[in-house]
């Protein structure tokens, strides 16, 4: 069969039911193979949209996402989603077309050295050198993407090689000698961790996106509730532990709760699970959790002691390790009363500094209030994709996630334009769920061409724009740190999003009334198919509380 | 030091003080890799990303045709090297890495020197060459090419002695290294 038909066989063997992509000259053979392959293909309107859609699919389903692009600009348009997937450990296979082998390196039409361009942004990448390699490389690509610390991989296929007739045999085993992720945690270290936990008087569990990648939410909950351990999650870890739980301190970091950040600051022991001590979490590194010893559980050995030295490192799969840790901990029968004082301290913070905002006294809709209304209107059960900016932080603060894979975010790279296409991927992967995209007028305009994709395919994404006419987060920084000297943050003549949606054949709704916001949202979300909802919110509202960049947790403001 | 995103003006001194010192011992990394395209770029890229300058880099085959060995020397304090080593381990084509201790390692480098030495000077150059156990590989009326192998120190002192005679050019291969004793490097 043609090598491209073998590509389709590999995708099917890997359980791929949908790919997101955009055709062009160099991947024409692949697109020809789609005609008969019986794999759903969603035609996006920009490769970046396809890449983020594949991420949204992967993040929400736990399966590997697949995105396609042609050579040259098709491939370079995928660079942002590739880097985004790298930063957030999202398993996505990116397949790019490449110019004919005889043209390689000649600056041929639509040639880009995509392997070279993406090398620092991938978990691994391959350029096909010989058509016979294709089946094995594709299976290796899926294996690398989904195992260990998940991540993006790139497979670049020169167009001439993709047309060659090859004998196809299914590949059932993948063995990469240089790639053997450690999954089992070291028993001694786990025991040591249990002992440290039993001896600690002010412990905090700090969970990140790794808990969700590892499918370890149930194990995390069991571990946290095996005693009264206070727990906080990162932006990407939200939903890894049920938000309404009494042991939950809220999110930590730059816009986390005061309680979570103060608890980290005063902790004597921090147990990090699948979290990487990002600078948005630690603030000033030298003053981060100065009294704490650290247990660090991570599948990636390079994360251990990268930013903060770990006293007890445990390399391996979080699900695996937490299961064993619970058993070890229970066997120690720790003193139940020792955490009383700690919880009193935490309780005092919770009482003194609850997460909140001053609501407007008139009809004006505060953005925080809008997120609360979205939470209410969706019954707290929607898959929520956010874009990047103030709305993202408000969504993280005021939409309470009780399950994993319900909150899709560009946490590491902070990619504006991520939310809407990611929501497309989530909706395609979860046809029975309500999928909303909480975005801003700035972020939405970074990938709004995908309105055509949702319109054509009737993908029922509900785009909820918190419209303040500003690049709000940048404006907030200019207000707080640059003496109110606003520079290029007023979005000026923003489009009429309702008319824009209608131009694409998508329902458009404008909401301006505060008192009926929940019902209006409910009605808008209930509209069959895709909807764009433009919600006018307070123009100059800031996200609080906040740890100023480079400051310590104790210096939180707002 | 503040986040560069804020207005706070940074002084050059602060900026320098905040950087990690890179004056630790020289590291000789011996890296076994799969013999596949792009491997070297991936390795070099990891160093470049952290702003490390690689002093020498040599690559050659091993007794297994699918496997090559990269010997890489770099200046660096212990901590940053540790992180780069861990990142190198994550590369799928990297099979094994060793950060070789200088005391337990035999290192060699090959260098070629072209010297514009004639007449009386030539005899002196040849004498030096003999002392350093070098070899003459080319002689013309106006120049002479010498080959020398040895440790970096030896090559550097040979160079400093030759220079006054009129060193036209010099080529060095970069170090290769092997651990002492019976164990595999």
């Amino acid at each position: 069969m043609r090598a491209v038909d073998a590509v389709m066989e590999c995708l099917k063997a890997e359980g791929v039911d949908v790919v997101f992509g955009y055709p062009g000259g160099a991947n024409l053979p692949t697109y020809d193979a789609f005609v008969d392959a019986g794999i759903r293909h969603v035609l996006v309107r920009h490769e970046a949209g396809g890449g983020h859609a594949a991420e949204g699919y992967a993040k929400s389903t736990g399966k590997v996402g697949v995105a396609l692009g042609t050579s040259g600009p098709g491939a370079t348009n995928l660079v942002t989603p590739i880097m985004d997937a790298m930063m957030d450990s999202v398993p996505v296979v990116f397949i790019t077309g490449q110019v004919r082998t005889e043209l390689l390196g000649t600056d041929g039409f639509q040639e880009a050295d995509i392997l070279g361009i993406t090398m620092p942004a991938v978990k691994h990448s391959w350029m096909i050198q010989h058509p016979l390699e294709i089946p094995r490389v594709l299976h290796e690509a899926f294996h690398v993407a989904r195992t260990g610390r998940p991540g993006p991989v790139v497979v670049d296929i020169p167009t001439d090689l993709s047309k060659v007739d090859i004998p196809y045999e299914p590949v059932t085993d993948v063995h990469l000698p240089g790639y053997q992720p450690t999954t089992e945690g070291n028993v001694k270290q786990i025991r040591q961790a249990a002992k440290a936990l039993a001896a600690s008087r002010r412990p905090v569990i700090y969970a990140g996106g790794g808990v969700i990648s590892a499918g370890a939410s149930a194990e995390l909950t069991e571990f946290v509730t095996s005693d009264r351990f206070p727990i906080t999650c990162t932006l990407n870890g939200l939903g890894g532990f049920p938000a309404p739980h009494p042991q939950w301190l809220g999110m930590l970091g730059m816009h986390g709760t005061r309680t979570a950040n103060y608890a980290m600051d005063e902790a004597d022991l921090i147990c990090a699970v699948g979290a990487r001590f990002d600078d948005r979490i630690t603030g000033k590194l030298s003053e981060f959790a100065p009294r704490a010893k650290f247990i660090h559980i991570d599948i990636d050995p390079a994360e251990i002691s990268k930013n903060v030295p770990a006293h007890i490192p445990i390399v391996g799969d979080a699900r695996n390790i937490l299961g064993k840790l619970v058993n070890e901990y229970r066997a120690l029968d720790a003193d139940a009363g020792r955490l009383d004082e700690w919880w009193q301290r935490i309780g005092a913070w919770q009482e003194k500094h609850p997460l909140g905002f001053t609501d407007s006294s008139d009809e004006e809709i505060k953005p925080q209030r809008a997120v609360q209304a979205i939470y209410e209107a969706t019954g707290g059960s929607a898959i929520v994709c956010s874009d990047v900016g103030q709305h993202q932080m408000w969504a993280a603060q005021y939409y309470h996630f009780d399950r994993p894979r319900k909150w899709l975010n560009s946490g590491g790279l902070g990619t504006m334009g991520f939310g809407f296409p990611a929501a497309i991927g989530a909706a395609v992967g979860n046809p029975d769920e309500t999928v909303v995209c909480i975005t801003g007028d700035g972020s939405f305009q970074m990938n709004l061409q995908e309105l055509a994709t949702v319109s054509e395919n009737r993908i029922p994404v509900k785009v909820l724009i918190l419209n303040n006419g500003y690049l709000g987060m940048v404006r907030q920084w200019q207000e707080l740190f640059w003496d109110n000297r606003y520079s290029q943050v007023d979005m000026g003549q923003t489009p009429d999003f309702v008319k824009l949606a209608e131009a694409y054949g998508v329902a458009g709704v404008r909401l301006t009334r505060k008192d009926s916001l929940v019902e209006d949202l409910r009605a808008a979300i209930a509209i069959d198919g895709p909807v764009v909802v433009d919600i006018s919110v307070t123009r100059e509202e800031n996200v609080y509380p906040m740890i100023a960049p480079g400051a310590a947790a104790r210096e939180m403001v707002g | 030091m503040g986040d560069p995103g804020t207005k706070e003006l940074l002084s050059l001194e602060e900026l320098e003080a905040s950087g990690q010192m890179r004056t630790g011992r020289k590291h000789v990394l011996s890296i076994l890799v799969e013999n596949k395209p792009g491997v070297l770029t991936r390795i070099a890229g990891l160093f470049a990303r952290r702003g490390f300058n690689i002093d020498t880099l040599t690559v050659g085959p091993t007794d297994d045709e699918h496997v090559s060995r990269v010997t890489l020397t770099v200046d660096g304090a212990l901590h940053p090297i540790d992180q780069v080593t861990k990142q190198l381990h994550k590369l799928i084509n990297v099979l094994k890495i060793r950060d070789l201790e200088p005391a337990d390692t035999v290192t060699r480098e090959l260098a070629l020197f072209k010297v514009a030495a004639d007449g009386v000077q030539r005899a002196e150059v040849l004498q030096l060459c003999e002392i350093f156990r070098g070899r003459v590989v080319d002689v013309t009326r106006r120049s002479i090419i010498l080959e020398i192998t040895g440790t970096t120190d030896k090559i550097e002192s040979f160079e400093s002695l030759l220079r006054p005679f009129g060193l036209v050019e010099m080529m060095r291969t970069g170090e290769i290294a092997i651990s002492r004793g019976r164990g595999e490097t």
Side-chain angles (χ1 to χ4, degrees):
Chain A
M1 65 175 72
R2 289 178 306 176
V4 282
D5 297 315
V7 170
M8 297 297 142
E9 291 307 313
C10 294
L11 295 182
K12 283 190 253 181
E14 291 290 349
V16 173
D17 48 21
V18 61
V19 302
F20 303 88
Y22 205 95
N27 64 4
L28 272 176
T30 311
Y31 274 86
D32 185 70
F34 269 116
V35 175
D36 305 315
I39 296 177
R40 182 174 179 195
H41 180 279
V42 174
L43 173 67
V44 291
R45 295 305 189 267
H46 188 295
E47 287 87 354
H52 293 311
E55 284 188 272
Y57 174 89
K59 283 190 167 187
S60 62
T61 62
K63 295 191 267 187
V64 179
V66 182
L68 266 58
T70 189
S71 64
T76 55
N77 279 344
L78 287 170
V79 172
T80 303
I82 291 170
M83 187 73 230
D84 193 273
M86 188 66 177
M87 291 289 268
D88 285 350
S89 308
V90 192
V92 179
V93 174
F94 293 87
I95 303 174
T96 50
Q98 184 52 277
V99 297
R100 299 195 304 277
T101 43
E102 72 199 56
L103 285 175
L104 279 174
T106 66
D107 303 322
F109 177 67
Q110 291 195 329
E111 183 188 1
D113 172 15
I114 197 62
L115 237 60
I117 290 169
T118 58
M119 219 162 249
V122 294
K123 187 171 171 189
H124 194 55
S125 52
W126 295 259
M127 185 202 269
I128 299 297
Q129 311 276 330
H130 193 286
L132 287 178
E133 292 172 359
I134 286 178
R136 176 159 295 278
V137 164
L138 273 167
H139 287 295
E140 285 177 355
F142 277 86
H143 176 70
V144 169
R146 75 157 69 89
T147 55
R149 177 178 183 172
V153 299
V154 169
V155 181
D156 196 29
I157 312 180
T159 185
D160 53 333
L161 304 187
S162 69
K163 288 192 287 189
V164 175
D165 184 32
I166 59 167
Y168 172 70
E169 268 185 52
V171 177
T172 51
D173 66 309
V174 169
H175 175 70
L176 294 161
Y179 177 71
Q180 272 131 8
T182 309
T183 55
E184 300 291 319
N186 179 297
V187 180
K188 261 194 201 156
Q189 287 165 334
I190 293 172
R191 192 162 300 152
Q192 225 184 324
K195 276 188 192 155
L197 282 160
S200 78
R201 307 184 71 86
R202 295 191 308 279
V204 178
I205 313 304
Y206 149 50
V211 166
I212 293 165
S213 303
S217 297
E219 286 75 8
L220 177 71
T221 307
E222 206 194 335
F223 162 58
V224 170
T225 53
S226 67
D227 204 336
R228 287 176 302 152
F229 295 127
I231 174 167
T232 176
C233 292
T234 66
L235 180 72
N236 272 348
L238 294 179
F241 184 85
H245 198 279
Q247 279 164 248
W248 165 248
L249 309 180
M251 181 173 77
L252 82 164
M254 185 174 271
H255 294 296
T257 63
R258 280 184 185 260
T259 305
N261 284 321
Y262 289 175
M264 292 292 280
D265 185 55
E266 291 194 9
D268 65 354
L269 181 73
I270 286 169
C271 178
V273 191
R276 60 188 176 84
F277 297 89
D278 178 75
D279 56 88
R280 285 296 187 262
I281 297 300
T282 61
K284 190 174 191 176
L285 202 55
S286 60
E287 289 179 35
F288 173 68
R291 299 157 190 83
K293 289 204 179 303
F294 294 95
I295 300 168
H296 194 172
I297 300 171
D298 207 296
I299 194 145
D300 180 356
E303 285 305 332
I304 309 269
S305 299
K306 183 180 82 178
N307 298 331
V308 168
H311 300 85
I312 305 173
I314 311 175
V315 176
D317 176 74
R319 190 161 135 194
N320 222 317
I321 291 167
L322 288 172
K324 292 180 195 163
L325 185 56
V326 172
N327 292 337
E328 292 285 348
Y329 185 76
R330 288 217 170 104
L332 294 173
D333 200 17
D335 167 26
R338 78 188 194 293
L339 299 179
D340 289 350
E341 216 174 291
W342 185 220
W343 272 109
Q344 278 164 20
R345 185 114 180 96
I346 289 169
W349 288 322
Q350 283 171 324
E351 204 169 306
K352 196 169 170 203
H353 309 287
L355 194 61
F357 60 97
T358 317
D359 206 350
S360 56
S361 52
D362 50 19
E363 269 295 289
E364 190 178 57
I365 302 170
K366 288 269 182 157
Q368 300 94 326
R369 165 107 175 165
V371 174
Q372 284 180 337
I374 294 165
Y375 180 71
E376 240 179 279
T378 54
S381 65
I383 294 179
V384 179
C385 304
S386 92
D387 252 302
V388 169
Q390 288 184 315
H391 66 272
Q392 174 189 27
M393 291 300 126
W394 285 316
Q397 290 174 334
Y398 294 99
Y399 199 105
H400 313 289
F401 298 92
D402 58 358
R403 271 173 297 165
R405 302 199 183 280
K406 291 282 188 182
W407 169 240
L408 316 187
N409 230 265
S410 171
L413 195 63
T415 308
M416 287 175 72
F418 167 87
F420 180 33
I424 293 174
V428 167
N430 302 272
D432 301 328
E433 309 250 7
T434 301
V435 178
V436 304
C437 167
I438 299 179
T439 183
D441 47 306
S443 280
F444 184 53
Q445 290 186 68
M446 283 238 181
N447 264 325
L448 57 71
Q449 76 287 345
E450 301 309 328
L451 280 170
T453 308
V454 294
S455 177
E456 183 210 341
N457 295 284
R458 302 310 295 163
I459 298 170
V461 170
K462 319 297 176 183
V463 179
L464 312 174
I465 306 170
L466 304 192
N467 190 346
N468 59 8
Y470 270 128
L471 292 179
M473 192 59 100
V474 185
R475 186 204 56 71
Q476 175 171 341
W477 281 46
Q478 289 178 350
E479 178 192 325
L480 298 178
F481 309 118
W482 298 83
D483 301 336
N484 284 303
R485 286 156 56 94
Y486 290 178
S487 176
Q488 310 301 323
V489 287
D490 190 332
M491 294 299 270
Q493 187 78 34
T494 44
D496 181 330
F497 289 113
V498 172
K499 280 190 186 161
L500 183 83
E502 285 166 0
Y504 277 105
V506 170
V509 177
R510 177 166 293 112
L511 300 183
T512 50
R513 286 174 57 87
K514 185 168 79 174
D515 52 3
S516 59
L517 192 55
V518 176
E519 302 89 86
D520 292 347
L521 272 167
R522 207 172 272 143
I525 289 167
I527 296 171
D528 198 32
V531 185
V532 172
V533 184
D534 183 8
I535 311 168
S536 307
V537 298
T538 312
R539 245 172 96 68
E540 298 194 5
E541 180 74 11
N542 288 343
V543 184
Y544 287 123
M546 178 179 197
I547 303 176
R554 279 184 306 282
E555 299 156 10
M556 271 198 110
V557 293
Chain B
M1 196 183 75
D3 190 294
T6 62
K7 199 186 166 193
E8 182 189 352
L9 191 64
L10 304 177
S11 73
L12 272 175
E13 289 72 28
E14 269 180 310
L15 196 65
E16 277 162 17
S18 72
Q20 286 162 313
M21 297 298 287
R22 300 215 167 117
T23 51
R25 77 169 169 92
K26 180 175 119 176
H27 287 263
V28 180
L29 299 182
S30 182
I31 310 167
L32 276 184
V33 300
E34 288 185 275
N35 184 9
K36 290 197 169 159
V39 179
L40 208 53
T41 314
R42 288 178 209 268
I43 291 174
L46 278 179
F47 285 87
R49 190 177 160 214
R50 299 203 135 227
F52 278 51
N53 187 30
I54 295 171
D55 288 341
T56 70
L57 178 70
T58 63
V59 191
T62 64
D63 49 330
D64 179 343
E65 58 170 329
H66 302 294
V67 176
S68 301
R69 187 182 295 279
V70 176
T71 310
L72 190 151
T73 64
V74 63
D75 254 331
L78 220 56
H79 180 70
I81 278 286
D82 183 54
Q83 180 54 215
V84 175
T85 312
K86 282 174 167 178
Q87 297 291 344
L88 284 174
H89 263 298
K90 284 169 69 170
L91 298 179
I92 310 286
N93 300 132
V94 168
L95 303 171
K96 194 176 160 190
I97 302 172
R98 278 196 62 188
D99 183 359
L100 297 169
E101 275 292 332
D104 299 327
T105 308
V106 177
T107 63
R108 285 292 181 272
E109 201 177 336
L110 168 68
L112 296 172
F113 294 90
K114 186 181 285 181
V115 192
D118 44 16
V120 195
Q121 288 193 328
R122 175 169 291 182
E124 282 183 57
V125 168
L126 288 174
Q127 202 177 2
L128 261 181
C129 180
E130 199 168 314
I131 294 167
F132 277 80
R133 295 178 217 284
R135 290 205 311 152
V136 179
V137 290
D138 182 64
V139 183
T140 65
R141 269 190 331 121
R142 302 188 48 213
S143 72
I144 181 165
I145 300 176
L146 307 172
E147 167 197 308
I148 181 171
T149 60
T151 61
T152 301
D153 282 353
K154 177 177 166 185
I155 288 166
E156 279 168 4
S157 56
F158 188 54
E159 180 203 335
S160 66
L161 288 167
L162 273 187
R163 197 167 278 285
F165 292 98
L167 188 57
V168 179
E169 58 184 350
M170 171 182 83
M171 312 264 166
R172 289 168 62 173
T173 58
E175 283 179 283
I176 55 168
I178 195 162
S179 59
R180 294 181 194 277
R182 184 145 179 202
E184 270 183 54
T185 301

